[in-house]
Amino acid sequence: QFGQVNNALSAFSANYNALQVVLNRRFSKGFTVLGSYTWSKALGVNVSTGEGSNGPRNPYNYRADYGPLTLDRPHNFIVSALYDLPFGGPSRPRWQQLAIGGWQVSGIANAVSGPPLTIRAGRDNSLSGIGGDTADVVGDWHLSGDRSKQDQLNAWFNTAAFVQNAPGTFGNTGIGFMRGP
């Protein structure tokens, strides 16, 4: 007569380590540039949280769900630039200073590594009632890089390398064990 019973406890942990580098070149002849790079690692116990969540996939081993967190992006590079347009400077007539003076052009570019991905089984083969099982790896999931660009966009990993986890097991692929593009 009871529905799902959620487990609410503070037994999970996470950690974040990073190297951050910033380059800032302030205005010089109307130009400034700011660049930053972060090399980081965010690890923790990955569990669904909130109302209706089931917690870790193996209730007897929370560490089985320890791995890269969904927010983990090992490489993050950002660069921005700002340029003061030379129109309407102090040597220009007053009307030009008011009409076209003070305009700027700017841009931002960002390059970030892909997110960690977990290949879920989609079934509760562990019979735990939680349903967070991962797939079993049975082959090499890497694909050759000498394929056409279209083939690489269509498939960037070998899906045939994964099968349903064996009954009574939680799956042998780790949490966040592969990276998205």
Side-chain angles (χ1 to χ4, degrees):
Q1 296 181 5
F2 292 100
Q4 179 177 340
V5 177
N6 291 329
N7 186 7
L9 69 144
S10 299
F12 309 119
S13 64
N15 61 70
Y16 175 81
N17 296 294
L19 168 71
Q20 299 173 340
V21 178
V22 176
L23 171 69
N24 188 4
R25 176 71 175 132
R26 299 193 186 257
F27 280 105
S28 172
K29 297 182 183 177
F31 184 74
T32 187
V33 65
L34 172 64
S36 68
Y37 172 74
T38 303
W39 177 45
S40 65
K41 184 65 119 178
L43 297 170
V45 177
N46 287 276
V47 296
S48 55
T49 57
E51 188 62 35
S53 66
N54 292 329
R57 62 188 163 135
N58 183 347
Y60 304 108
N61 181 9
Y62 291 172
R63 297 285 297 173
D65 287 340
Y66 185 83
L69 296 171
T70 54
L71 57 85
D72 182 44
R73 303 297 185 275
H75 303 283
N76 190 356
F77 175 73
I78 301 173
V79 64
S80 63
L82 179 73
Y83 179 65
D84 283 333
L85 295 174
F87 316 123
S91 63
R92 302 284 186 191
R94 180 80 177 142
W95 71 269
Q96 283 184 356
Q97 292 177 20
L98 294 173
I100 59 175
W103 286 89
Q104 298 175 325
V105 175
S106 64
I108 299 173
N110 188 9
V112 181
S113 56
L117 300 175
T118 301
I119 306 298
R120 297 285 183 186
R123 287 190 202 146
D124 185 19
N125 285 341
S126 63
L127 307 175
S128 64
I130 294 173
D133 298 354
T134 60
D136 283 341
V137 177
V138 294
D140 185 10
W141 58 271
H142 296 93
L143 289 175
S144 171
D146 62 351
R147 301 176 299 135
S148 71
K149 188 67 168 176
Q150 186 62 43
D151 286 344
Q152 291 180 30
L153 290 172
N154 288 337
W156 50 271
F157 70 94
N158 180 12
T159 57
F162 301 96
V163 297
Q164 287 287 323
N165 57 315
T169 68
F170 293 96
N172 67 11
T173 59
I175 300 295
F177 86 103
M178 73 167 33
R179 290 259 168 213

